Amino acid sequence: MNAETLASALTAAREAAAAAAEVILHYWKRGVDVEIKRDATPVTIADREAEQAIRKLLHAALPEASIYGEEYGLDGARDGLLWLVDPLDGTKSFVRRTPFFSTQIALMDRGELVLGVSSAPVYGETMWASAAGGTWFEGVRVRVADTDDMAQASISTGNVKTLTTDARWAALGAMIRDSNRIRGYGDFCHYHLLARGALDLVIESDVNILDVAALAVIVREAGGVFTDLDGQAPTLDTRSVLAGTPAIHAEALRRFSPGHGGVA
């Protein structure tokens, strides 16, 4: 993908996120009925209409790209150019009137994530990034902190339910003990904080790639490291996250590795 096409795609993704925000805020104010999908997760008319608005704009801007969305699945092939869309990441929060939800839009080019837009409409907060273009927060370029000592690190955990039955749970406990402080901001929030230097490490064991694809680009282009808990780069099959400043990520990955500390 050349620079001109990438810039055009980023503009389209930002416009699509803004269009989704209008839909989401409309239903946030008036309230919605909730349906339960086959996978036991909730969905609302806000999810569906937001994705429809996103798909319309993305397809018009880059018709050669496929789209893989949370609500309407895959339209096209998985290889080549592929949009990854979660129109309302955090539907459970949305329906419980908790403002920790966002719109996530990313573009993958032959398996590599090349741009991401993360929009949290209730917060009025948007971040975006593109390959070699840096990470931007409301028009200002941001970077991760330079924290390199676990004793000074701020850690945030999100969905870690399956990690509680993993041998690495003991390693997480040791990191919490050795860190400066532990928080549980969750969803988009802790990745935004990480990218702008307000947090040093994010750990999640239960995610979907649509939840985090855009955030992976945002953290990476802000100078951070974003992998799964095994240190692998994100793919369509990614289910966990270890993201942080370079030094803290490396230390966390070492602690999570087999044979270290309490890890079997």
Side-chain angles (χ1 to χ4, degrees), residues 1 15 25 27 32 34 36 48 65 94 106 143 146 149 157 164 188 194 197 202 215 217 227 229 231 239 262-263:
M1 172 176 282
E15 291 174 350
L25 289 174
Y27 287 111
V32 294
V34 182
I36 302 300
R48 293 182 174 130
F94 180 81
R143 287 191 60 82
D146 58 4
D149 183 353
T157 59
T164 63
F188 76 90
L194 172 61
V202 174
L215 297 161
V217 184
T227 69
L229 289 173
R239 292 293 180 268
V263 182

Side-chain angles (χ1 to χ4, degrees), residues 10 116 126 149 204 254 257:
L10 179 58
T126 303
D149 183 353
E204 299 202 74
R254 183 183 69 83
S257 63

Side-chain angles (χ1 to χ4, degrees), residues 20-34 44-47 49-50 88-103 120-124 188:
E22 289 188 16
V23 173
I24 292 166
L25 289 174
H26 168 74
Y27 287 111
W28 172 254
K29 292 172 183 175
R30 64 179 289 185
V32 294
D33 294 328
V34 182
T44 72
I45 190 173
D47 298 71
E49 288 192 4
L88 208 173
D89 179 44
T91 302
K92 291 180 181 179
S93 294
F94 180 81
V95 300
R96 296 198 65 177
R97 311 299 296 169
T98 304
F100 280 86
F101 54 83
S102 63
T103 294
V122 172
Y123 277 74
F188 76 90

Side-chain angles (χ1 to χ4, degrees), residues 1-254:
M1 172 176 282
N2 61 43
E4 183 178 354
T5 302
L6 181 60
S8 177
L10 179 58
T11 297
R14 291 177 61 190
E15 291 174 350
E22 289 188 16
V23 173
I24 292 166
L25 289 174
H26 168 74
Y27 287 111
W28 172 254
K29 292 172 183 175
R30 64 179 289 185
V32 294
D33 294 328
V34 182
E35 299 175 34
I36 302 300
K37 296 190 286 189
R38 290 183 179 181
D39 63 0
T41 61
V43 64
T44 72
I45 190 173
D47 298 71
R48 293 182 174 130
E49 288 192 4
E51 184 166 325
Q52 289 168 355
I54 291 169
R55 282 174 175 265
K56 181 178 179 180
L57 288 166
L58 296 184
H59 180 71
L62 201 63
E64 65 270 33
S66 301
I67 301 178
Y68 175 28
E70 174 72 20
E71 305 309 329
Y72 294 100
L74 177 63
D75 177 14
R78 288 164 58 106
D79 54 356
L81 289 171
L82 176 64
W83 289 107
L84 302 174
V85 176
D86 194 334
L88 208 173
D89 179 44
T91 302
K92 291 180 181 179
S93 294
F94 180 81
V95 300
R96 296 198 65 177
R97 311 299 296 169
T98 304
F100 280 86
F101 54 83
S102 63
T103 294
Q104 299 294 319
I105 303 174
L107 181 62
M108 184 174 274
D109 183 7
R110 291 167 293 179
E112 179 186 357
L113 289 166
V114 295
L115 73 78
V117 175
S118 174
S119 167
V122 172
Y123 277 74
E125 180 171 314
T126 303
M127 274 193 171
W128 63 89
S130 59
T135 296
W136 299 81
F137 174 52
E138 301 301 343
V140 177
R141 190 166 183 173
V142 295
R143 287 191 60 82
V144 300
D146 58 4
T147 308
D148 59 6
D149 183 353
M150 188 63 74
Q152 300 303 316
S154 294
I155 299 173
S156 180
T157 59
N159 296 324
V160 292
K161 191 171 184 178
T162 60
L163 193 60
T164 63
T165 61
D166 191 296
R168 290 172 290 197
W169 186 244
L172 175 59
M175 269 192 285
I176 291 171
R177 182 185 64 237
D178 296 341
S179 68
N180 179 266
R181 62 177 180 169
I182 179 70
R183 294 291 185 267
Y185 296 110
D187 297 306
F188 76 90
C189 188
H190 49 192
Y191 297 103
H192 283 204
L193 291 170
L194 172 61
R196 61 185 179 86
L199 194 66
D200 304 303
L201 188 69
V202 174
I203 298 168
E204 299 202 74
S205 61
D206 305 273
V207 299
N208 182 294
I209 187 59
L210 299 180
D211 303 336
V212 297
L215 297 161
V217 184
I218 285 168
V219 170
R220 183 192 75 201
E221 293 300 319
V225 181
F226 191 108
T227 69
D228 66 11
L229 289 173
D230 297 315
Q232 300 301 307
T235 70
L236 293 178
D237 299 317
T238 291
R239 292 293 180 268
S240 65
V241 173
L242 184 66
T245 70
I248 299 302
H249 178 279
E251 173 64 10
L253 187 60
R254 183 183 69 83

